[in-house]
Amino acid sequence: LRLLPRQRYLRAERAEVSALERKRNVLCCLITRILKVEKQLHTDNLVFRVIDACQKGELGPGLQFLSFCCHSVDVLSCVLHLLNQGYLRRQEERPHVLEY
């Protein structure tokens, strides 16, 4: 018996992980860029703006050619990541409003 080497599967998994990390990085940069301009934004509005920018391929300088599918779960996951990192914060009196 001859088995296929495991390395092929490991390479595929690494490629998928790398693609997901790139997608998360692009989404985090886009969220930050939008909030830098707006200063504060309702979470729902931020999610819609990020999804719209991804669908239109308007991801910022040098990234116009990239157009990928993102869902609200992807965006909210990145928002939580940025909140945990301290890049974003919520207003105490209105926790649904995010600030840069």
Side-chain angles (χ1 to χ4, degrees):
L1 279 177
R2 185 168 182 222
L3 299 174
L4 292 174
R6 279 187 78 180
Q7 291 179 343
R8 290 183 186 180
Y9 299 111
L10 291 176
R11 277 191 225 130
E13 288 177 8
R14 286 186 197 131
E16 289 174 13
V17 168
S18 178
L20 287 173
E21 286 178 358
R22 281 193 305 268
K23 182 177 179 178
R24 187 183 80 175
N25 289 340
V26 168
L27 288 175
C28 286
C29 289
L30 185 57
I31 290 167
T32 303
R33 187 171 61 95
I34 290 171
L35 280 174
K36 276 185 178 181
V37 172
E38 297 294 329
K39 302 299 182 216
Q40 63 181 18
L41 204 56
H42 190 282
T43 305
D44 292 341
N45 290 337
L46 177 63
V47 169
F48 291 130
R49 289 187 60 179
V50 170
I51 290 173
D52 188 51
C54 289
Q55 289 173 348
K56 291 179 179 177
E58 300 171 352
L59 301 176
L63 297 174
Q64 284 90 358
F65 63 92
L66 290 175
S67 178
F68 60 87
C69 179
C70 72
H71 301 282
S72 58
V73 175
D74 300 327
V75 179
L76 290 171
S77 173
C78 290
V79 166
L80 288 175
H81 175 73
L82 291 170
L83 282 167
N84 287 333
Q85 295 293 319
Y87 291 107
L88 305 180
R89 65 179 174 190
R90 292 182 172 157
Q91 291 183 348
E92 287 187 31
E93 62 279 357
R94 298 183 311 169
H96 51 278
V97 175
L98 298 169
E99 297 177 333
Y100 177 73

